[in-house]
Amino acid sequence: MLHPTRDQIDLVDVMAAIGHPVRAEIVRRLAASGQEEFCGSILPGVPKSTLTNHWRVLRESGVICQRPEGRKLYIRLRREDLDERFPGLLDLIVLEGSRAPSP
Amino acid sequence: MLHPTRDQIDLVDVMAAIGHPVRAEIVRRLAASGQEEFCGSILPGVPKSTLTNHWRVLRESGVICQRPEGRKLYIRLRREDLDERFPGLLDLIVLEGSRAPSP
């Protein structure tokens, strides 16, 4: 399970990853939680097969870390990496989420 | 030719629009120019049919304004609208463009 290093994270990839309503909502929930979450608990209403694709897009772009533990998968927002590389970007997403209704 | 109002611009749509290497480069060139440009002069190496789709995505998300004049189309970055709605976002894209090689 590959994760880009902090320096490999590409802004265009990050924007493409977050530029989807379900993935934007995942980012907002992980930002609000501030900690690692069990992947099944983040958006319980969305089918697992749909989420699997979203986890991959978010991971490969460097937005999240995935950590398998037994048969479970844990997800964490790469907040420090993103804040260091693209200051203010996550804040915009979180702020905008509190303005607009959730999908 | 519909353009969203400033208040209708959605951050997730904007991210999806800019989350593509060609469209990110268009945004950088328009930001560098700071003025309205003839659409054929922005990325002369890219086929017109490809660009037509990119103009549409950028316009419908609120990133650019298009203005037809005779048979020509003029393009402008909605810098003020985007800076007001999502402060710092365009600066990140411009800054990152000067870090990474152009596509």
Side-chain angles (χ1 to χ4, degrees):
Chain A
M1 191 175 286
L2 285 176
H3 295 82
T5 64
R6 176 184 289 190
D7 206 55
Q8 287 170 336
I9 299 176
D10 180 84
L11 179 59
V12 172
D13 291 344
V14 168
M15 292 217 164
I18 303 178
H20 182 288
V22 170
R23 293 195 293 266
E25 186 60 23
I26 290 169
V27 168
R28 285 173 189 133
R29 294 196 181 197
L30 289 172
S33 135
Q35 59 185 29
E36 191 177 66
E37 295 288 339
F38 167 51
C39 75
S41 69
I42 300 169
L43 279 179
V46 178
K48 195 183 164 189
S49 56
T50 306
L51 284 177
T52 300
N53 177 55
H54 292 318
W55 304 140
R56 184 186 54 76
V57 174
L58 288 168
R59 173 174 53 77
E60 290 181 352
S61 62
V63 175
I64 64 168
C65 271
Q66 288 182 328
R67 183 178 64 83
E69 188 181 288
R71 298 175 63 182
K72 288 193 170 183
L73 191 64
Y74 291 86
I75 308 278
R76 180 175 62 76
L77 187 63
R78 294 179 65 175
R79 176 113 218 181
E80 275 188 36
D81 292 331
L82 293 169
D83 283 350
E84 151 77 21
R85 286 292 312 280
F86 315 118
L89 184 67
L90 283 180
D91 295 332
L92 283 176
I93 296 155
V94 170
L95 192 70
E96 190 66 8
S98 61
R99 179 183 184 271
S102 297
Chain B
M1 192 176 285
L2 286 177
H3 294 83
T5 64
R6 176 183 289 190
D7 207 56
Q8 286 169 338
I9 299 176
D10 180 83
L11 180 59
V12 173
D13 292 343
V14 168
M15 293 216 163
I18 303 179
H20 182 288
V22 170
R23 293 194 292 267
E25 185 60 21
I26 290 169
V27 168
R28 285 174 190 135
R29 294 194 180 199
L30 289 172
S33 135
Q35 59 185 27
E36 192 177 67
E37 295 289 339
F38 167 50
C39 74
S41 69
I42 301 169
L43 279 179
V46 179
K48 193 182 165 188
S49 56
T50 306
L51 285 176
T52 301
N53 178 55
H54 292 319
W55 304 139
R56 185 186 54 76
V57 174
L58 288 168
R59 173 175 53 78
E60 289 180 354
S61 62
V63 176
I64 63 168
C65 272
Q66 288 181 328
R67 182 178 64 83
E69 189 182 287
R71 297 175 65 183
K72 288 194 169 181
L73 192 64
Y74 290 85
I75 308 278
R76 181 176 61 76
L77 187 64
R78 294 179 65 175
R79 176 112 216 182
E80 275 187 36
D81 291 332
L82 294 169
D83 283 350
E84 151 77 21
R85 286 291 311 282
F86 316 118
L89 185 67
L90 283 180
D91 294 332
L92 283 176
I93 296 155
V94 170
L95 191 71
E96 190 67 6
S98 61
R99 181 183 183 270
S102 297

